[in-house]
């Protein structure tokens, strides 16, 4: 299999094509793949809001005008914007679809359109029995007592041994993407260097209280509370914190979170600590996290506290370090989510002591002391974020990839559950001292995978003076590793009709079975949206696809061609007058002209169908990608059919496969109109 080496920028991809590989229909994609995508897309979203990825700002303006919408935020780095409008999402979808039908040239200028999914903070698990009436230590005069003795988690991950070796996170900035932080807390004073409010698109004074809840302050304390002999101390006390509040107190939306991620990356953060999630594959968040990977920024995410094994966003995206919660006895908490996506576990039972806002007295574990005992994967996650800051201090000049930092964390962990990697603790419980002793060059740089998703048929590009395949945005790609200890990869093709691809960065090397299909019918920029081809795509499979270590900044690109070879089969034609079917030998002499009209070029291809039915297939030279199907009576029959209704019954079949048919029954006054409008406005010619 021939490949082409590409220099990759996550957002702007060069127009280069590798050798073509036809992905033939294989076995069923398997219940696990289909179930994952069903769970992901069966997700609640916010009404009156959409996210639009664009290539042309003028096309975005057309949609804004159509919906009478306002742009909530524009993110030029990711070529995406958030929209707010008064109608429902379904009404907006219908309006956009109609616009694209009338002006198909706009489709090429839109990368994706998606809802704004609901997300939730992974809330801490609390035990009120840990709220004590008095502190069992002697209070220091005019200062908070030294509480380091209560920080079993910091000791468990062997952070003090890392400090003794000279590594405490100095020079590293960790972005806490959470509920905001109280910078007035004595343990956090001077530790917050940047603060950005994505909802306002403003930088905020980092020295004030900007907390919308206690969660973010607790996380910040575990990462980088000062080591000054008072209060608590973080895993990486030499690191600094960037505050990105995305729960104010409710979730502000994917578009604002993506803007916050971009801000963090471009203002010096090299670790992103996240304790939130939800269903719904967000192309925008996927783009933002891919941008982080491109810039060697590590995205850390809590696994969740529901004791379920379910893939959620953002933990599902390639390269994310997913963290479970462990106990003081090196078990796994009962609430911690299980998953093959887990990298490691870290301390997160009920007794993780850390900072809370000075105003949130109800959370104080001890009277007059702004500290609380929390549990949860939200408390485990910052232990890992702090540990990565320590590793980055040591290796900051080596330009390690996200994959290498993930492997340092994973392979340095202490195995605590089933031998080897498991779905409870990943590779084990975090041990930063051991991670510091490993050689990152021994792991390689990590693998990347990139698939051009395109049509087998071509179209003629007048500007380039040649025939080119069309891209197919919105195709789901699932990479299932042969080694079931490795995490599966879930991505989606992004782009436009000229070029669409699905990319996975910083992934594990090895052999994968790659499933293509279950296309995103929500996305009006996708050919799949118009054609309804989910049924036709199920089970497309590339067996034993190998991912190897790639040179940094490069990725091998492989082309996946979708072929449809569509044909229209009219099984029966019935003629009715005033609701009664006409049965007359002369009716059998009727003929109809079926015409396929290319939605983009206007080219027409026609065939005559008799009353007994027949088959119409596009010639091989007919260009991609979509056609409307119309019917009209054979010349001379118009007057006879003027007061009658003609019912066409049949199906569209793809690739001559009886298992891939879409059936329809369509009533047309006088036998004239769109046949295809009965099941989908378009049928696909790939």
């Amino acid at each position: 299999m021939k490949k082409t080496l590409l220099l990759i920028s996550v957002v702007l991809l060069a127009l280069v094509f590798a050798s073509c590989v036809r992905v033939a229909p294989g076995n069923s994609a398997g219940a696990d793949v289909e179930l994952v995508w069903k769970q992901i897309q069966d997700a609640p979203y916010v009404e009156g809001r959409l996210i639009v990825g664009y290539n042309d700002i003028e096309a975005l303006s057309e949609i804004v005008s159509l919906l009478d919408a306002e742009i909530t935020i524009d993110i030029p780095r990711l070529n995406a914007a958030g929209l707010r409008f008064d109608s429902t999402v379904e009404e907006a979808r219908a309006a956009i679809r109609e616009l694209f039908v009338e002006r198909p040239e706009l489709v090429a200028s839109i990368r994706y359109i998606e809802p704004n999914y609901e997300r939730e903070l992974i809330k801490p698990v609390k035990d009120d029995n840990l709220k004590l009436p008095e502190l069992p230590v002697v209070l220091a005069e005019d200062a908070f007592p030294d509480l380091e003795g209560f920080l079993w988690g910091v000791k468990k991950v062997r952070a003090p041994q890392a400090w003794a070796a000279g590594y405490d996170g100095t020079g590293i900035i960790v972005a806490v993407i959470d509920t905001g932080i109280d910078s007035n807390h004595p343990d956090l004073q001077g530790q917050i260097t940047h603060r950005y409010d994505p909802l306002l698109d403003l930088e905020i004074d980092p020295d004030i209280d900007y907390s919308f809840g206690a969660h973010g302050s607790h996380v910040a304390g575990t990462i980088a509370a000062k080591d000054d002999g008072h209060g608590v101390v973080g895993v990486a006390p030499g690191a600094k914190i960037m505050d990105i509040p995305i729960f104010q107190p409710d979730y502000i939306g994917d578009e604002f979170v993506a803007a916050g991620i971009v801000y963090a990356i471009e203002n010096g953060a090299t670790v992103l600590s996240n304790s939130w999630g939800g269903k719904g594959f967000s192309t925008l968040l996927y783009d933002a996290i891919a941008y982080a990977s491109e810039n060697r920024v590590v995205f850390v995410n809590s696994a969740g506290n529901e004791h379920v094994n379910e893939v959620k966003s953002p933990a599902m995206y390639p390269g994310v370090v997913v963290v479970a919660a462990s106990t003081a006895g090196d078990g796994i908490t009962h609430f911690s989510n299980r998953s093959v996506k887990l990298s490691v576990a870290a301390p997160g039972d009920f007794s993780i002591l850390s900072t809370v806002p000075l105003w949130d007295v109800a959370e104080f574990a001890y009277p007059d002391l702004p500290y609380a005992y929390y549990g949860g994967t939200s408390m485990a996650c910052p232990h890992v974020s702090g540990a990565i800051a320590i590793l980055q201090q040591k290796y900051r000049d080596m330009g390690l990839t996200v994959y290498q930092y993930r492997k340092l964390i994973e392979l340095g962990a202490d195995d605590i559950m089933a031998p080897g990697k498991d779905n409870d603790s990943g590779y084990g419980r975090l041990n930063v001292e051991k991670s510091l002793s490993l050689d990152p060059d021994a792991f390689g740089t990590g693998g990347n995978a990139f698939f051009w998703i395109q049509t087998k048929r071509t179209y003629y590009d007048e500007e380039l003076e040649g025939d080119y395949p069309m891209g197919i945005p919105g195709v789901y790609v699932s990479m299932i590793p042969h080694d079931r200890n490795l995490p599966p990869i879930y991505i989606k093709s992004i782009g436009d009709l000229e070029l669409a691809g699905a990319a996975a960065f910083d992934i594990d090397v090895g052999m994968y079975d790659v499933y293509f299909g279950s296309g995103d019918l929500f996305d009006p920029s996708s050919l799949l949206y118009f054609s309804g081809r989910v049924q036709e795509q199920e089970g497309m499979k590339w067996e034993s696809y190998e991912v190897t270590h790639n040179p940094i900044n490069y990725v091998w690109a492989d082309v996946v061609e979708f072929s449809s070879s569509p044909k229209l089969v009219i099984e029966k034609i019935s003629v009715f007058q005033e609701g009664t079917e006409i049965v007359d030998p002369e009716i059998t002499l009727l003929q109809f002209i079926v015409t396929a009209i290319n939605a983009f070029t206007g080219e027409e291809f026609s065939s005559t169908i008799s009353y007994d039915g027949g088959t119409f297939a596009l010639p091989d030279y007919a260009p991609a990608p979509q056609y409307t199907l119309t019917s009209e009576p054979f010349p001379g029959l118009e007057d006879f059919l003027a007061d009658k209704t003609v019912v066409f019954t049949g199906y569209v079949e793809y690739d001559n496969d009886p298992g891939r048919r879409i059936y329809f029954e369509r009533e047309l006054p006088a036998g004239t109109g769109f046949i295809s409008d009965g099941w989908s406005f378009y049928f696909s010619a790939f």
Side-chain angles (χ1 to χ4, degrees), residues 151 154 163 174 176 178 180-182 185-189 191-192 214-227 230-239 241 273 352-357 370-372 378-379 382-383 386:
L151 306 180
V154 173
W163 307 338
V174 180
V176 175
D178 210 288
I181 299 168
D182 183 359
H185 193 293
D187 292 5
L188 299 175
Q189 287 177 357
Q191 293 297 86
I192 317 301
H215 194 279
S217 297
H218 199 281
V219 166
T222 298
I223 295 172
K226 293 183 295 186
D227 185 9
H230 302 291
V232 298
V233 59
V235 172
I241 295 292
S273 191
I352 303 301
L353 185 66
S354 189
T355 50
V356 293
Y371 303 92
S378 289
M379 285 55 257
H383 283 85

Side-chain angles (χ1 to χ4, degrees), residues 516-594:
F516 302 86
S518 299
D520 185 357
L521 293 185
F522 182 91
D523 188 348
S525 69
S526 169
L527 302 185
L528 307 172
Y529 176 87
F530 292 107
S531 62
R533 292 182 60 238
V534 170
Q535 175 185 351
E536 184 267 327
Q537 283 191 79
E538 293 289 353
M540 302 289 279
K541 180 179 178 182
W542 188 333
E543 294 183 340
S544 298
Y545 178 85
E546 185 175 11
V547 175
T548 59
H549 290 288
N550 296 144
I552 295 177
N553 290 334
Y554 287 83
V555 61
W556 298 108
D558 295 295
V559 170
V560 178
E561 285 186 336
F562 278 79
S563 170
S564 60
S565 301
K567 66 179 178 182
L568 172 73
V569 177
I570 304 294
E571 295 182 299
K572 180 182 178 182
I573 297 177
S574 305
V575 180
F576 292 81
Q577 187 171 33
E578 297 181 353
T580 301
E581 184 174 2
I582 299 175
V583 180
D584 188 314
E586 293 187 5
I587 292 292
T588 62
L589 301 178
L590 291 177
Q591 290 183 312
F592 297 86
I593 299 174
V594 174

Side-chain angles (χ1 to χ4, degrees), residues 277-309:
K279 296 183 180 181
F281 184 100
S282 168
T283 303
L284 178 58
L285 292 182
Y286 160 82
D287 260 357
I289 294 171
Y291 183 54
S293 290
E294 182 186 23
N295 286 276
R296 313 286 187 271
V297 176
V298 184
F299 192 101
V300 188
N301 192 211
S302 305
N305 299 335
E306 299 86 16
H307 189 71
V308 297
N309 189 341

Side-chain angles (χ1 to χ4, degrees), residues 43-384:
Y45 53 79
V46 181
E47 289 290 1
R49 289 169 70 177
L50 283 175
I51 295 169
V52 179
Y54 59 85
N55 287 326
D56 183 346
I57 195 70
E58 295 301 323
L60 173 65
S61 298
E62 292 278 354
I63 294 176
V64 170
S65 177
L66 173 73
L67 301 179
D68 192 21
E70 65 168 316
I71 296 178
T72 56
I73 193 166
D74 184 25
I75 314 171
R77 176 66 68 184
L78 302 179
N79 283 5
L83 305 186
R84 181 181 287 118
F85 44 88
D86 291 333
S87 63
T88 67
V89 168
E90 285 297 326
E91 290 169 340
R93 288 176 61 187
I96 293 170
R97 173 172 177 160
E98 185 175 338
L99 174 67
F100 284 175
V101 168
E102 294 174 354
R103 298 183 57 190
E105 73 277 5
L106 291 177
V107 177
S109 299
I110 299 297
R111 298 173 59 236
Y112 60 86
I113 299 175
E114 64 187 13
N116 207 315
Y117 291 108
E118 295 179 2
R119 314 282 181 199
E120 295 181 351
L121 182 71
I122 299 176
K123 296 180 180 179
V125 181
K126 304 177 186 179
D127 183 352
D128 286 338
N129 291 325
L130 293 176
K131 288 187 176 181
L132 304 179
E134 59 183 37
L135 186 65
V137 297
V138 178
L139 293 178
E141 186 176 351
D142 298 327
F144 291 148
D146 184 351
L147 301 176
E148 187 174 343
F150 294 86
L151 306 180
W152 68 267
V154 173
K155 297 175 183 177
K156 195 76 171 178
V157 303
R158 300 188 67 79
Q161 286 76 11
W163 307 338
Y167 302 109
D168 64 357
T170 296
I172 304 302
I173 298 175
V174 180
V176 175
I177 304 175
D178 210 288
T179 65
I181 299 168
D182 183 359
S183 304
N184 291 327
H185 193 293
D187 292 5
L188 299 175
Q189 287 177 357
Q191 293 297 86
I192 317 301
T193 61
H194 299 72
R195 174 174 284 128
Y196 172 68
D197 187 332
L199 193 60
L200 301 177
D201 191 22
L202 285 176
E203 292 184 332
I204 305 296
D205 183 353
D207 295 324
I208 66 172
D209 173 18
Y210 206 68
S211 57
F212 296 86
H215 194 279
S217 297
H218 199 281
V219 166
T222 298
I223 295 172
K226 293 183 295 186
D227 185 9
D228 60 1
H230 302 291
V232 298
V233 59
V235 172
K240 298 299 182 183
I241 295 292
M242 179 185 294
D243 184 16
I244 311 286
I246 65 167
F247 289 89
Q248 301 188 16
D250 297 323
Y251 185 65
I252 60 177
D254 286 350
E255 75 273 47
F256 296 110
V257 174
I261 292 172
V262 170
Y263 175 90
I265 295 166
E266 296 184 347
N267 286 273
T270 52
V271 187
L272 310 179
S273 191
N274 301 266
S275 298
W276 52 274
K279 296 183 180 181
F281 184 100
S282 168
T283 303
L284 178 58
L285 292 182
Y286 160 82
D287 260 357
I289 294 171
Y291 183 54
S293 290
E294 182 186 23
N295 286 276
R296 313 286 187 271
V297 176
V298 184
F299 192 101
V300 188
N301 192 211
S302 305
N305 299 335
E306 299 86 16
H307 189 71
V308 297
N309 189 341
E310 184 177 0
V311 178
K312 292 186 177 182
S313 170
M316 69 176 299
Y317 303 123
V320 174
V321 178
V322 185
V323 185
S326 61
T327 67
D330 272 343
I332 295 298
T333 64
H334 69 276
F335 51 76
S336 184
N337 283 1
R338 273 62 175 171
S339 173
V340 71
K341 293 282 288 184
L342 290 176
S343 288
V344 293
D349 70 6
F350 300 98
S351 55
I352 303 301
L353 185 66
S354 189
T355 50
V356 293
L358 300 179
W359 56 264
D360 203 355
V361 177
E363 294 296 303
F364 291 6
Y366 307 111
D368 302 322
L369 292 178
Y371 303 92
Y373 288 106
Y374 286 169
T377 56
S378 289
M379 285 55 257
C381 176
H383 283 85
V384 173

Side-chain angles (χ1 to χ4, degrees), residues 12 30 46 88 134 157 184 253 268 329 337 340 353 414 429 441 467 567 579 604 624 626 634 643 668:
L12 301 176
V46 181
T88 67
E134 59 183 37
V157 303
N184 291 327
N337 283 1
V340 71
L353 185 66
D414 290 332
R429 192 252 309 126
D441 289 336
D467 291 318
K567 66 179 178 182
E604 298 184 3
Q626 296 166 330
F634 201 79
D643 60 347
L668 297 181

